[in-house]
């Protein structure tokens, strides 16, 4: 089953869209079958994602909104995004 990744930011516009594009690039490179979208923080829980991604400062607000949470230190660090997504999808014992 395809996992649903939701990227959130305060307004659901600029920064979450940027990270969505970086995740789409990363999952393409990693060969991961997943859907990625973005939204504002208030909409996150109702969208019921499998994985929610946000910045470290949003972690307290997103930590219970999905089964898996990824907190990023930087919105602009594509390596961090790729590494965290790869670890999340790694087979057990390989992360």
């Amino acid at each position: 089953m395809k996992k649903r990744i939701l990227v959130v930011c305060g307004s659901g516009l600029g920064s979450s869209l940027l990270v969505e594009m970086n995740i789409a690039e990363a999952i393409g490179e990693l060969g991961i079958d997943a859907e990625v979208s973005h939204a504002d923080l208030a909409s996150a829980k109702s969208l019921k994602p499998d994985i929610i991604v946000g910045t470290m400062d949003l972690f307290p607000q997103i930590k219970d909104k999905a089964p898996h949470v990824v907190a990023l230190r930087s919105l602009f660090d594509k390596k961090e995004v790729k590494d965290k997504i790869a670890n999340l999808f790694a087979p057990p014992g390989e992360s």
Side-chain angles (χ1 to χ4, degrees), residues 2-7 19-37 51 53 78 81-89:
K2 191 179 266 193
K3 297 285 186 188
R4 292 176 296 130
I5 302 171
L6 179 66
V7 183
V19 176
E20 176 189 350
M21 292 187 308
N22 291 342
I23 290 175
E25 182 179 319
I27 62 176
E29 291 173 4
L30 295 166
I32 294 170
D33 187 23
E35 295 176 5
V36 60
S37 61
I51 301 160
V53 179
K78 288 184 175 184
V81 168
K82 188 174 181 178
D83 289 348
K84 288 188 172 180
I85 294 298
N87 285 339
L88 200 57
F89 283 87

Side-chain angles (χ1 to χ4, degrees), residues 17-86:
L17 175 59
L18 172 70
V19 176
E20 176 189 350
M21 292 187 308
N22 291 342
I23 290 175
E25 182 179 319
I27 62 176
E29 291 173 4
L30 295 166
I32 294 170
D33 187 23
E35 295 176 5
V36 60
S37 61
H38 69 280
D40 65 284
L41 186 59
S43 303
K45 192 164 188 171
S46 65
L47 296 173
K48 300 184 188 258
D50 299 302
I51 301 160
I52 191 164
V53 179
T55 54
M56 291 279 192
D57 61 316
L58 293 179
F59 181 76
Q61 299 167 69
I62 63 174
K63 66 182 180 184
D64 61 347
K65 297 193 184 313
H68 301 281
V69 176
V70 175
L72 300 172
R73 291 174 206 245
S74 170
L75 296 172
F76 306 105
D77 187 345
K78 288 184 175 184
K79 183 179 181 325
E80 179 189 15
V81 168
K82 188 174 181 178
D83 289 348
K84 288 188 172 180
I85 294 298

